[in-house]
């Protein structure tokens, strides 16, 4: 392997590294959105299938948001 090939290899690795750094936040955001959508669908399905006279003991407990998360809501 001569100098030109080594420089080309280093340049390719650098470009690939920059590509990963640029694409990673988008992929993370897409995965996060899909997880949130799945949670929303599950919550809607639970609300639709839950009978109206269901006792409070069998329903999941709803807690107030912590002060840290209350601003974001």
């Amino acid at each position: 392997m001569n100098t030109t090939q080594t420089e080309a290899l280093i340049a390719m690795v650098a470009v690939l590294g920059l590509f990963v750094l640029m694409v990673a936040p988008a992929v993370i955001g897409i995965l996060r959105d899909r997880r949130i959508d799945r949670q929303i669908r599950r919550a809607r399905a639970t609300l639709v299938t839950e009978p109206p006279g269901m006792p409070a003991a069998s329903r999941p407990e709803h807690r107030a948001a912590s002060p840290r998360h209350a601003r974001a809501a």
Side-chain angles (χ1 to χ4, degrees):
M1 193 176 228
N2 61 22
T3 307
T4 306
Q5 290 173 332
T6 305
E7 288 177 359
L9 181 63
I10 291 170
M12 271 195 307
V13 169
V15 168
L16 182 62
L18 289 173
F19 177 74
V20 168
L21 285 175
M22 297 295 287
V23 172
V27 171
I28 291 169
I30 290 169
L31 293 175
R32 182 176 180 265
D33 286 344
R34 288 180 57 133
R35 179 179 50 92
I36 291 170
D37 289 343
R38 190 171 46 244
Q39 290 173 346
I40 291 171
R41 278 194 306 267
R42 192 176 336 145
R44 283 185 182 159
T46 302
L47 289 175
V48 170
T49 59
E50 182 179 287
M54 192 172 199
S58 61
R59 280 190 232 145
E61 184 179 326
H62 295 279
R63 297 182 182 167
S66 66
R68 189 179 88 191
H69 296 296
R71 280 185 298 147

